[in-house]
Amino acid sequence: MPQHSCYVYVSSRASVDPVKTVIVCPPEENAQTVEDAERFARASGWVDAVEADASVLVVAIAPEGWDAVPADLPYRLYQENRRSFKSSGTGSAAAGGSLWAWETLIYLVGYADGATFAGNFQLSCPGFAAASVLVDGSPTNIAVLDEPSIHWLFF
């Protein structure tokens, strides 16, 4: 059972394993509730993009702001949800079966203060996302570059 709230949208076309997962960190004002996150996902075009791409969308929730959530929230959301994405189509994941959210097909997107949070996470965990996009925000915690990665790339 997931421990962290989030909005999840699984494309009705997602049926072939492995499936791409897009994790979005919206601005704080759009991350207070699951309903806020869903409105943001629809208004920003992410639901349409994920539907067309046969992917999975996970929009993070930060009800008390991005500073109050665990620094590794994208990793936790992925781990808590990756086996719960259900297919409604056909393909290698049988209709209604679970999709394989493959670790190398994770994409991270952040907006405004959500971009700062996502950027700080990406610096501490550079191997987590295949790519990341930061819109109107940037990492502030560059000191983590002097520390070993917390995921995959250990130097």
Side-chain angles (χ1 to χ4, degrees):
M1 180 106 199
Q3 297 174 2
H4 298 91
S5 294
C6 61
Y7 168 70
V8 174
Y9 179 84
V10 179
S11 170
S12 64
R13 299 176 59 209
S15 62
V16 178
D17 290 334
V19 67
K20 183 189 304 179
T21 304
V22 180
I23 299 173
V24 175
C25 299
E28 281 183 5
E29 64 269 15
N30 300 112
Q32 300 298 299
T33 66
V34 173
E35 294 78 18
D36 291 338
E38 180 179 3
R39 277 191 295 277
F40 179 81
R42 292 185 183 285
S44 62
W46 277 109
V47 168
D48 292 336
V50 163
E51 178 62 30
D53 194 42
S55 301
V56 172
L57 175 67
V58 176
V59 182
I61 306 297
E64 297 175 28
W66 288 112
D67 291 337
V69 298
D72 64 345
L73 182 63
Y75 178 77
R76 290 180 186 201
L77 287 173
Y78 173 74
Q79 290 297 326
E80 291 170 9
N81 291 284
R82 68 188 175 118
R83 292 189 175 110
S84 66
F85 304 132
K86 300 294 182 193
S87 169
S88 61
T90 59
S92 64
S98 293
L99 296 164
W100 178 24
W102 200 19
E103 290 87 351
T104 58
L105 292 173
I106 302 169
Y107 296 85
L108 182 63
V109 180
Y111 293 85
D113 38 14
T116 300
F117 174 82
N120 287 336
F121 170 75
Q122 189 67 14
L123 289 179
S124 69
C125 194
F128 175 75
S132 60
V133 176
L134 307 177
V135 180
D136 292 331
S138 60
T140 56
N141 187 12
I142 61 171
V144 298
L145 294 173
D146 292 329
E147 301 296 323
S149 168
I150 61 171
H151 184 72
W152 291 342
L153 297 175
F154 298 98
F155 291 75

